[in-house]
Amino acid sequence: MSTAQEGAATDRTVDGPVEIVDIPAARVHHPSDLLGVVLAALGAVLVIVLAAYAHNTTGGIAEDVQGFATLLRRILFVPVAALVSLVTVLVPLAVLIDLAVRRQGRLLLETSAAGAAGLALTTFGHWALTTFGSHELVATMSVVQTDSGANVEVLTLPGYVAMLAALLTLAGPRAHRSSVRWSWNALWTAIGVTLITAQVSLPGVALALALGRLAGLGVRYLAGVSPERAYGDALVAGIRRAGYTPVSLVRVPDADTRVAAEQLHREHNLPTPDEASAALVRSSDARVYQVRTAYDEVLDLRVLDGDRQVLGVLARTWRSLRLRGIEGRNIVSLRQASERAALLAYAATAAGVHTPRLLRLSENADSMMLLQEHPSGAVPLTLVPDDELTDDLLAEVWGQLRAAHHAGIAHRAITGDTVLVGPGASHHGVWLTGWDSGDVASSDLARRIDITQMLAVLALRVGAARAVRSVADALADDDVAAIGPMLQTITLPRQTRDLMRDHKEVLAELRQQIVARLPEASIEPYRLVRFGARTVLTIVVTFVAAFVILTTINVHQIGDALRSSDPRFSLLAFLLGMVTLVGAALSLVAFSPVRLSLWRSMIVQAAASFVALAAPAGIGPAALNLRALTRRGVSTTLATATVALIQVSQMVVTVLLLVVLTLTSGTQQQSPVPLSPPVLAVIGIVVVALAATLLIPQVRAWVGKRVMPTLRQTWPRLVEVVGQPGRLLLGLGGNLVTTLGYVLAFDAAMQGLGQRASLVQVAIVYLAGTTLGAMVPTPGGVGTTEAALAAGLGTVAGINAGVAFSVAVLFRVLTYWLRIPLGWVAMRHLQRVGEL
């Protein structure tokens, strides 16, 4: 009999026929497999990073075991080679034969594909390491072997390890199949012997295992697995085990099964499940069935599946980590989740809350079944007609929530689907459902969040004024006043937040209504989030900064540049680089529409040195300036215009400075034009660009498309600043200090290495190099700026390429790298005082 597979069928047993309408999942994509893919990928990256930057440690270990390994290889060379060969051949054969005997043809094909994927990943990894890996990384993942009397390093990334790990990952858990269990034991034995005999490196084996797990879990997630959930007959058995005799079992459609379920209902002329059951589906992460018993009772059956618990655990963990006052839970198993849901349901019923009674719990296969009372005729609050939303009904809604709170129970997930209203206008039986996410011994904060969620749900239906009036009639003034700081989207469930996107004015109206009723009430948002976008940004920037430093900085090269330079000029270049922070702070203070502290603005510019590690050149300072202005109460539009004005003024000052330096510096030789050839070349390029802009329509349109928005944005602010000559001069002076500071620091770095050039040449090289570095979106312009500066010194100043690169590296070390620790300290300080 294939009850579940056919969708609608009859289960004829000793207890009578059962009509089942079910839609079983053919294949299940386990979220835990996707999580495993991510963890395996992170593990592979971690192995590579450790191998790259801990090569001294691993190298020392390799040297320590080398002598012992040489002796073992002489004794065990043939047995070890034979063991590896046997494991590589016999393990796949044993697993595949076992699957063939069990007639699991699809799993056999998927297992073979996983093994092939593992081999492919190791082949690609071997090529990538030999092509792009540094010498230290390749050496760490290699072993020393003797070839024709000479010791050579051989990169070891054993493909058989990845192949077998992928194959066994997909074949099934160790506990279920003895062939898989013994195959894993054989693989670990082979790995141990080859490691002891130094035929493979420890990082190489670890990377191969990670790649194998990545391949196996990836194939399993993409292909899916046969569900171990309870369907059809298994559900009937679970209901009977709970003490009820079912006559019919009808699946309530959800988002994934709606089309198939509606088709089945039409084919078998079955009634469509009512709105109460549909609301139960939307408000819970479970399969829902309507059960009709032999005594003509209608019950709801909620089925929790084990394969869906991973998502719930991750969501709860993330929410408890991010939100203050929301305690974490150690729910990691299906049984724990179902028992907690039962506890909340029993507690709500005992508190006198009108909620569907939980009747029984049962278990079958990898599913837990909760059989509960069905609120016949009830509809969710979102579907109640407007003329039935009376003040008495709103009072009853608050009465149900108040009853739960008096017993110390918090709901924590109130939506329009968890509040049900009984049939007809004459009977306002309000049901409060969906207690799975609640707390039995809740905190005051959790209960305040409940009130906020209920207020938002009611405001979306009856408006902010009536919603606030209803809560004021139901609760004390102190409780109403405490709602204001909670009126944040972060406190609302996802369903309510989605509705709020179309009614963004509701939260603001609720705050206004609360203040209108209680003028002394504070509506300043309470800080519920432990870490928000700025904290995540800091963490991301820190990791990116560490990655950039570890992967791009050449300590030996920097050390050589510093050792060969004159320390006096190096100190001067560093101090001139720090002076640029003063110039940037002056510009921010001058152009800001509000009063800013010069010292605090300097700290903001110092913090920008750290942010620049994770953002393209110029983006980090602009973003921090924008944040500093908005935190001071400046509107986003005005702050954006101010930051744009700072950047435009910086560009204007730079161009004017270049023109002045060009006109005031000439050559000592008699020439018709007192300018050096490089300067003439630059002027010619600028003239050609301007001519193209003015004469070619397409170029003129392209430039206008990019320039006009910025001009329209900054023009009102520019007019305002021009009316204050003092501020304008201060801002332009700050830009001049910034540009001259970098130019003079670059000149000092050149002189520190014994190189000379005219100031205009230095300015041209610096401005051209930093501009090119900013055009390539690398974090902080790392790599591109150094290359552009070195190329400019060779072209404009005629400096030797090797020396020019040393000058560029020295300049960047003194004005970029050495400021990063100061920038990190500055950013942490600004976050601590609430400026960012």
Side-chain angles (χ1 to χ4, degrees):
M1 177 175 51
S2 56
T3 302
Q5 308 303 328
E6 294 176 2
T10 299
D11 174 31
R12 300 189 179 279
T13 66
V14 294
D15 292 321
V18 178
E19 186 175 36
I20 301 174
V21 178
D22 200 1
I23 306 159
R27 308 284 289 180
V28 176
H29 301 276
H30 280 286
S32 58
D33 291 337
L34 182 59
L35 178 62
V37 169
V38 175
L39 294 178
L42 292 177
V45 173
L46 180 62
V47 169
I48 294 175
V49 171
L50 292 177
Y53 297 101
H55 56 271
N56 291 333
T57 302
T58 55
I61 295 174
E63 292 178 0
D64 292 340
V65 302
Q66 188 62 43
F68 180 64
T70 302
L71 177 62
L72 283 178
R73 280 201 300 268
R74 292 175 181 173
I75 301 173
L76 301 174
F77 176 76
V78 173
V80 171
L83 175 63
V84 172
S85 300
L86 287 174
V87 169
T88 305
V89 174
L90 294 183
V91 165
L93 282 177
V95 173
L96 296 178
I97 290 174
D98 181 43
L99 294 177
V101 170
R102 296 173 183 267
R103 297 184 179 180
Q104 295 179 316
R106 176 166 179 161
L107 183 58
L108 188 150
L109 294 176
E110 293 170 355
T111 302
S112 303
L119 276 177
L121 282 180
T122 52
T123 302
F124 173 78
H126 193 283
W127 171 81
L129 288 172
T130 54
T131 304
F132 304 107
S134 63
H135 173 72
E136 292 82 1
L137 175 61
V138 175
T140 303
M141 305 190 72
S142 302
V143 295
V144 178
Q145 295 183 357
T146 303
D147 185 13
S148 302
N151 291 334
V152 295
E153 291 184 344
V154 178
L155 177 63
T156 57
L157 191 61
Y160 75 91
V161 172
M163 178 194 71
L164 295 180
L167 185 144
L168 295 176
T169 296
L170 201 69
R174 297 163 58 99
H176 291 182
R177 289 195 173 92
S178 60
S179 61
V180 174
R181 181 171 62 253
W182 286 107
S183 296
W184 274 114
N185 294 338
L187 176 59
W188 288 119
T189 301
I191 290 174
V193 172
T194 52
L195 281 174
I196 292 175
T197 56
Q199 295 190 24
V200 293
S201 64
L202 180 59
V205 169
L207 181 58
L209 280 171
L211 293 177
R213 290 287 292 176
L214 175 63
L217 292 169
V219 171
R220 188 163 71 185
Y221 180 76
L222 293 175
V225 297
S226 298
E228 298 179 356
R229 305 170 177 177
Y231 283 104
D233 296 342
L235 291 177
V236 172
I239 295 171
R240 286 177 174 151
R241 193 177 302 159
Y244 286 82
T245 303
V247 174
S248 67
L249 184 69
V250 180
R251 175 77 173 268
V252 180
D254 53 28
D256 298 328
T257 61
R258 184 170 306 279
V259 176
E262 291 175 352
Q263 181 179 355
L264 283 174
H265 281 77
R266 287 194 301 269
E267 291 177 355
H268 299 278
N269 196 25
L270 297 172
T272 302
D274 59 15
E275 294 295 343
S277 296
L280 181 59
V281 171
R282 292 191 297 267
S283 62
S284 66
D285 187 25
R287 290 183 283 137
V288 178
Y289 298 82
Q290 270 197 1
V291 179
R292 186 172 296 277
T293 69
Y295 297 98
D296 207 27
E297 299 173 288
V298 177
L299 307 175
D300 285 327
L301 176 68
R302 292 193 296 135
V303 183
L304 305 180
D305 298 311
D307 57 74
R308 298 185 61 86
Q309 288 304 302
V310 173
L311 291 178
V313 170
L314 292 178
R316 284 191 296 269
T317 302
W318 170 253
R319 188 170 177 84
S320 63
L321 287 175
R322 192 180 179 209
L323 297 184
R324 296 176 181 271
I326 305 298
E327 61 275 13
R329 301 180 188 170
N330 297 320
I331 298 178
V332 295
S333 70
L334 174 63
R335 179 171 290 276
Q336 286 177 322
S338 58
E339 289 176 349
R340 184 177 182 86
L343 172 64
L344 264 298
Y346 291 143
T349 301
V353 179
H354 194 204
T355 187
R357 290 185 304 117
L358 180 64
L359 304 175
R360 294 287 191 277
L361 268 75
S362 184
E363 181 181 16
N364 205 345
D366 191 30
S367 298
M368 291 290 295
M369 288 163 270
L370 289 81
L371 199 62
Q372 65 185 42
E373 188 178 29
H374 176 69
S376 299
V379 297
L381 186 67
T382 54
L383 299 180
V384 176
D386 292 342
D387 58 350
E388 294 186 16
L389 292 172
T390 63
D391 292 341
D392 291 340
L393 174 60
L394 300 185
E396 178 63 18
V397 170
W398 289 112
Q400 295 300 321
L401 185 60
R402 191 170 58 245
H405 286 180
H406 283 170
I409 305 171
H411 191 287
R412 289 180 46 172
I414 297 175
T415 67
D417 285 324
T418 61
V419 182
L420 304 181
V421 180
S426 60
H427 174 61
H428 288 141
V430 175
W431 304 73
L432 202 53
T433 66
W435 294 91
D436 295 9
S437 301
D439 290 324
V440 176
S442 61
S443 64
D444 179 66
L445 177 61
R447 294 192 291 274
R448 289 166 63 190
I449 291 177
D450 270 4
I451 298 171
T452 305
Q453 292 176 355
M454 185 68 80
L455 183 64
V457 169
L458 295 179
L460 288 170
R461 285 303 325 269
V462 301
R466 281 193 65 192
V468 171
R469 187 167 64 249
S470 69
V471 70
D473 293 340
L475 303 178
D477 287 348
D478 291 341
D479 294 332
V480 177
I483 300 174
M486 299 291 106
L487 287 170
Q488 309 172 47
T489 55
I490 191 64
T491 63
L492 305 178
R494 180 175 297 278
Q495 180 182 350
T496 309
R497 290 203 303 269
D498 292 341
L499 294 174
M500 283 291 181
R501 291 193 184 100
D502 299 327
H503 303 84
K504 297 180 180 179
E505 73 285 353
V506 170
L507 289 181
E509 292 175 357
L510 287 172
R511 296 189 190 98
Q512 294 172 2
Q513 291 295 327
I514 290 176
V515 172
R517 179 172 287 272
L518 300 171
E520 71 281 3
S522 171
I523 59 172
E524 182 67 22
Y526 177 78
R527 188 177 177 183
L528 290 168
V529 181
R530 285 196 179 100
F531 54 90
R534 60 175 183 168
T535 308
V536 173
L537 175 63
T538 302
I539 296 173
V540 171
V541 168
T542 303
F543 276 106
V544 172
F547 179 79
V548 169
I549 292 173
L550 291 176
T551 56
T552 61
I553 192 170
N554 191 320
V555 178
H556 299 293
Q557 192 178 72
I558 291 175
D560 293 341
L562 291 174
R563 282 191 297 270
S564 60
S565 64
D566 188 333
R568 296 171 299 174
F569 283 103
S570 296
L571 178 61
L572 178 61
F574 176 76
L575 293 177
L576 287 170
M578 297 299 293
V579 169
T580 62
L581 300 180
V582 180
L586 286 173
S587 299
L588 179 60
V589 170
F591 292 125
S592 171
V594 296
R595 187 176 182 84
L596 294 178
S597 164
L598 178 61
W599 173 249
R600 189 60 56 83
S601 299
M602 289 174 58
I603 297 176
V604 171
Q605 306 312 312
S609 302
F610 175 68
V611 177
L613 272 172
I619 301 298
L624 281 191
N625 287 340
L626 182 65
R627 180 64 177 172
L629 291 173
T630 55
R631 290 293 292 176
R632 285 290 178 175
V634 182
S635 66
T636 303
T637 303
L638 185 57
T640 304
T642 302
V643 172
L645 180 59
I646 294 173
Q647 293 178 316
V648 170
S649 64
Q650 180 70 52
M651 182 186 67
V652 171
V653 169
T654 300
V655 172
L656 292 177
L657 179 63
L658 185 58
V659 171
V660 171
L661 290 175
T662 301
L663 294 177
T664 57
S665 63
T667 61
Q668 301 299 323
Q669 303 173 353
Q670 296 297 323
S671 174
V673 181
L675 297 174
S676 62
V679 175
L680 288 174
V682 172
I683 294 176
I685 293 173
V686 173
V687 171
V688 171
L690 290 175
T693 303
L694 295 174
L695 298 178
I696 303 175
Q698 291 82 0
V699 176
R700 188 167 63 247
W702 181 82
V703 173
K705 183 178 179 180
R706 281 152 179 78
V707 172
M708 290 307 296
T710 302
L711 183 60
R712 282 193 296 266
Q713 185 182 47
T714 59
W715 183 255
R717 184 69 187 136
L718 177 61
V719 171
E720 183 180 351
V721 172
V722 169
Q724 300 173 299
R727 281 183 172 269
L728 180 61
L729 290 177
L730 181 62
L732 296 178
N735 289 329
L736 182 62
V737 169
T738 301
T739 304
L740 275 179
Y742 278 122
V743 171
L744 294 176
F746 190 40
D747 185 64
M750 289 180 59
Q751 296 191 48
L753 290 173
Q755 303 301 311
R756 299 290 187 274
S758 67
L759 190 59
V760 67
Q761 289 177 323
V762 175
I764 290 174
V765 172
Y766 166 74
L767 295 174
T770 53
T771 301
L772 290 175
M775 291 175 63
V776 181
T778 59
V782 174
T784 57
T785 301
E786 289 85 348
L789 291 174
L793 286 174
T795 303
V796 176
I799 299 177
N800 176 272
V803 178
F805 191 73
S806 297
V807 171
V809 170
L810 178 62
F811 169 71
R812 291 284 283 172
V813 168
L814 298 173
T815 60
Y816 179 75
W817 292 106
L818 290 183
R819 282 161 48 167
I820 290 172
L822 298 176
W824 184 84
V825 173
M827 186 145 185
R828 295 298 299 170
H829 171 73
L830 291 173
Q831 287 185 333
R832 188 167 56 253
V833 299
E835 288 291 333
L836 290 181

